[in-house]
Amino acid sequence: MSLISLSISELQAQFRSKAVSPVEALEALEARIQAVDGEIAGYLNRDYAAALKAAQNADVNLPLGGVPIAIKDLINVKGESCTCASKILQGYRAPYDATVITRLKAAGAIPFGRTNMDEFAMGSSTENSAFAITRNPWDTDRIPGGSSGGSAAVVAADEAFASLGSDTGGSIRQPAALCGCVGLKPSYGRVSRFGLVAFASSLDQIGPFSKTVRDSALILNAISGHDPMDSTCLNEPVPDFTAKLGRDLKGVRLGMPKEYFVSGTDPQVDQAVRAAIKQYESLGAEIVEISLPHTQHAVAVYYIIATAEASANLARFDGVRYGHRTAEASNILEHYGRTREEGFGPEVKRRIILGTYVLSSGYYDAYYLRAQKVRTLIRQDFARAFEKVDAIICPTSPEAAFKVGDRSEDPLRMYLADIFTIAVNLAGICGISLPCGFAQVEGKPLPVGLQLIGKPFAEAELLQIAHAYEQSTNWHKARPVIG
Amino acid sequence: MKNYLVTIGLEVHVQLKTRSKMFCGCPVEFGAQPNTHTCPVCLGMPGALPVMNHQALKMTALTGLMLGCTIPPVCKFDRKHYFYPDMPKNYQISQYDLPLCLGGGVPLHQLAFPKDVQKTVANPDKVIPLTRIHLEEDVAKSTHFDASSGIDFNRAGTPLMEIVSDPEISSPEEAFAYLTSLKQILIYGNVSDADMEKGQMRCDCNISLRPEGQTELGTKIEIKNMNTISGVRRALAYEIERQTACLDRGEKLLQETRRWDDASGQTSLMRVKESEADYRYFPDPDLLPVKTEAIVAEVRPFVPELPATKRARFASQYGVSAYDAGVLANDLPLASYFEKAAANARNPKNVANWILNELLSSLSNTETGIEACPISPEHLDELVNVIDEGKISGKQGKEVFAEMFATGKAPGVIIEEKGLKQESDLGAIEALCDQAIAANPKAVAEYKSGKLASINFLKGQVMKLSQGKANPAVAGEVLAKKLA
């Protein structure tokens, strides 16, 4: 196996035995990026010189010592660009490190490269980037999923050992499923949001993409924990997330929500997920049918809450202090209008307008307040289910990757791509997507993702359950042929 | 001409005296170089998050306790949206439907009213009820130049407490008394210096007029930009006059915001409010709701003695007049000075008199604050005691006082240096009296024939003979005895 295909654990073993140095690993990675990223467009930019310097000084005995990690372009890394794939932040350089970056650096990791995304994380295909359309490494005519499509694609294409993304309604898990890698959305409050450019503050959470479940556990170990800079980052104990990996599944109960196994899901996806469930049974897990009765309302609730919060969060992009500023404005109102008209793409504008509308006087109770009430019901659905089961098992996405341009004219259909992932964010619980097979579409294999959903702050158990399946299959070892 | 009833409500913004800003660690400092106290949080940089300043919550809770507010068990913070360059996030973190404090009131008192009306106020002890007190962040400060504008974000994020009164203020003078009383209480609680000229206390006034007999309130007009408490009074007086004239002419008033110009003494139209602004409030998802019980328990021991209690105590404990007690308690540092000076005084009332007359006029003549007073309270007490004991005369006392104020020396030292000790030795005074009687037979005869005032002439002679050192009271007694 080539150096660039190694998992973090394998790479670290090479570092520590001095078979490979961090500089050599970085050089190999850079060569790979130069070879394939022209086709994938997973990266918006990267500072190789700075990363090389960090690699030269890396301490390989640290938990992530010398490991380069790609960063979604909405997480602040001091001195690097942070555009959120938006023209409104073109040329903007971050003046500080996000807490996750401070922690990654403390663990010895090297933040390397800014990955493409849907503008301000709004989208499910990465087509909403103002700068590039990232391609799915398994079929470059297809999208990688989104919004963290760049972070997923670079890991799947061996252009990164791992990456960070953010998940507001499925933005880590859905692209991980579509690109065939592991993607973890931690529980809300597990990882600090300080330095993550906010899309929807009550839903956003940073998480890892990796080639193996163990690697996600290693990264989560580094980035988790209370942060005095983020009031919503809870002071929960942080276990060693690798501690339970390798334990068997005796006595583990997995819930199959009937609302997630319905017509509308691609038959090949359905088949792959059901096969995975069979596999779990053979590993000793007990499968229990459960119900999450308010599932049908999740998408509607999400698009009210997320857009409402986004309309406020994105108000700061006004060209007064930083970012794009219109060249032609004769008064302050015109300045705001033109700056934002020129700076934001159509999906972002659509969501700002939706969010502004649902918060408007006279509509607040009917939309925002009601959505919050339904959100509580959705949270209760999960709480009840978790009285019976240890984790929930279902598809990550109802279908495999679709073609570039296929959905861009139909926002509603695009919104349904997140139908199985959104409720997890609304409930604030954790979820992981891992490869569970392939759908054969037009003669090409397209990855299918299995989603496991865990109790709040039960990432260690979730990773254990995911790891047991992963180790009993070879799906995670498959690599796309690029070019 | 009809008579109109005036309804006034005030919204007062108070900058809290915290060391750091409301949601970040930047220092709060007035007058620093522009944009030197900023960080990603108070500049609204992408990805920055607010973190609650616990001290600001405590100070607001303390204010609530001082003003008798109800503090509900939970309060929360909301985003209030509007676009303006001095607003870094284009939303302000404020409190909408669950503020920290509800109800309460500001008690007025006679001396809080403007001097010219103090004697004629009908209801000097009125309590102005409050609607609420909430906490929010201040915006940046805009400065407009000829062709451009500058924004100083040092102020952005300063903790700001908004105190909203019920519309129960019925005259400009009452508004003046309300602000004066409120300011005193804020200073007593050490939550703000509440200096309007420094922008530490800012006041928006809502005023409406309605004809006598009408129950429905008239059109509400908001006035902004007053920089002093007397400016608020003048602005309101101007508005009453202006609105009265409009109504008398049969004009219909529009709901509008007007700007007060202190120099011209007039208000002018800023904008007409066609509809209520839609701020699209919603709970800030970056901040958790705040449980107040522990905060209230934490600050309750710090509720100070309030001005009204202090006034009453000064009168009862020290026997000073109600008026003097009021003047002393109006100014917390002055009140503390008085208490220190009066602590061991034989006659605290005299100490109060010396403070209110000699000391205040010397301080004002030299433009010195009581905090920088060259005479320590202990020295003043000593001086008053020396006079009360008759060791020096009142006239000598003034001389000693002047020297104390100029040099900061102890009165005993000055008396010694100047050889000012008053003669109270009976034998010595008797001898002087005998001399005076012998030298002034005419005055003695007059006194004996019933013109009792002549004794004052003789007393003056005794003082002269003693070069002013004789105790005049003793001299008077001796003379009276000798002439009886």
Side-chain angles (χ1 to χ4, degrees), chain A residues 96 195 313 315 318 321-322 361, chain B residues 43-47 79 88 90 278:
Chain A
Y96 68 100
N313 285 329
D318 60 5
R321 285 144 298 130
Y322 50 79
S361 157
Chain B
L43 283 175
M45 304 300 275
R79 295 181 179 181
N90 287 316
D278 185 356

Side-chain angles (χ1 to χ4, degrees), chain B residues 152-217:
Chain B
D152 178 7
F153 288 94
N154 284 354
R155 197 179 75 178
T158 299
L160 210 54
M161 182 168 68
E162 183 171 334
I163 302 171
V164 183
S165 85
D166 285 350
E168 298 283 345
I169 297 169
S170 49
S171 70
E173 290 69 34
E174 233 171 67
F176 182 102
Y178 171 84
L179 291 170
T180 306
S181 302
L182 179 61
K183 178 177 171 167
Q184 277 167 11
I185 291 169
L186 296 171
I187 291 172
Y188 266 57
N190 197 27
V191 297
S192 176
D193 292 334
D195 187 336
M196 279 188 79
E197 285 172 63
K198 286 186 180 162
Q200 292 162 337
M201 184 159 106
R202 304 196 280 271
C203 176
D204 296 339
C205 302
N206 288 303
I207 175 168
S208 69
L209 266 60
R210 68 190 142 123
E212 220 161 45
Q214 182 183 313
T215 48
E216 191 195 336
L217 289 177

Side-chain angles (χ1 to χ4, degrees), chain A residues 159-310:
Chain A
E159 295 182 72
F161 295 101
S163 62
L164 287 188
S166 65
D167 191 316
T168 306
S171 281
I172 290 174
R173 289 159 291 154
Q174 186 256 14
L178 269 44
C179 289
C181 51
V182 176
L184 171 67
K185 184 208 96 76
S187 309
Y188 188 79
R190 175 61 93 187
V191 178
S192 168
R193 293 186 295 114
F194 185 77
L196 167 72
V197 181
F199 158 19
S201 314
S202 74
L203 301 160
D204 295 342
Q205 196 65 190
I206 294 171
F209 288 90
S210 61
K211 295 174 187 182
T212 65
V213 172
R214 179 175 292 275
D215 286 359
S216 276
L218 286 173
I219 294 174
L220 192 61
N221 272 350
I223 64 175
S224 296
H226 178 60
D227 177 12
M229 301 295 277
D230 175 2
S231 318
T232 65
C233 184
L234 301 183
N235 203 355
E236 284 282 325
V238 180
D240 175 359
F241 293 107
T242 64
K244 293 191 171 173
L245 302 185
R247 291 195 193 170
D248 66 34
L249 297 180
K250 290 229 170 62
V252 168
R253 293 160 70 93
L254 297 179
M256 262 180 86
K258 60 180 185 199
E259 293 82 2
Y260 284 59
F261 291 88
V262 287
S263 62
T265 299
D266 179 278
Q268 296 195 69
V269 170
D270 189 68
Q271 214 176 354
V273 171
R274 285 179 193 275
I277 292 169
K278 281 248 149 53
Q279 177 75 0
Y280 266 107
E281 269 183 310
S282 73
L283 290 170
E286 188 189 340
I287 307 298
V288 183
E289 187 175 286
I290 56 163
S291 174
L292 299 167
H294 297 92
T295 297
Q296 53 172 328
H297 304 299
V299 173
V301 166
Y302 174 84
Y303 278 96
I304 290 168
I305 292 172
T307 57
E309 293 179 6

Side-chain angles (χ1 to χ4, degrees), chain B residues 21 27 29-38 151-155:
Chain B
K21 292 188 181 179
E29 189 191 338
F30 182 78
Q33 280 292 306
N35 296 311
T36 52
H37 293 332
T38 60
I151 312 171
D152 178 7
F153 288 94
N154 284 354
R155 197 179 75 178

Side-chain angles (χ1 to χ4, degrees), chain A residues 343-403:
Chain A
F344 289 135
E347 181 61 27
V348 172
K349 284 177 192 157
R350 181 180 296 125
R351 296 199 195 190
I352 291 173
I353 290 166
L354 266 173
T356 304
Y357 175 77
V358 299
L359 289 177
S360 300
S361 157
Y363 296 96
Y364 179 86
D365 288 2
Y367 290 104
Y368 189 78
L369 208 58
R370 179 165 301 186
Q372 287 292 8
K373 286 177 184 164
V374 181
R375 182 178 186 175
T376 303
L377 296 176
I378 290 169
R379 194 178 286 136
Q380 287 167 353
D381 276 1
F382 283 102
R384 273 190 208 108
F386 285 129
E387 287 168 8
K388 291 184 221 141
V389 299
D390 300 297
I392 292 166
I393 188 163
C394 61
T396 306
S397 162
E399 59 197 335
F402 48 86
K403 285 200 166 155

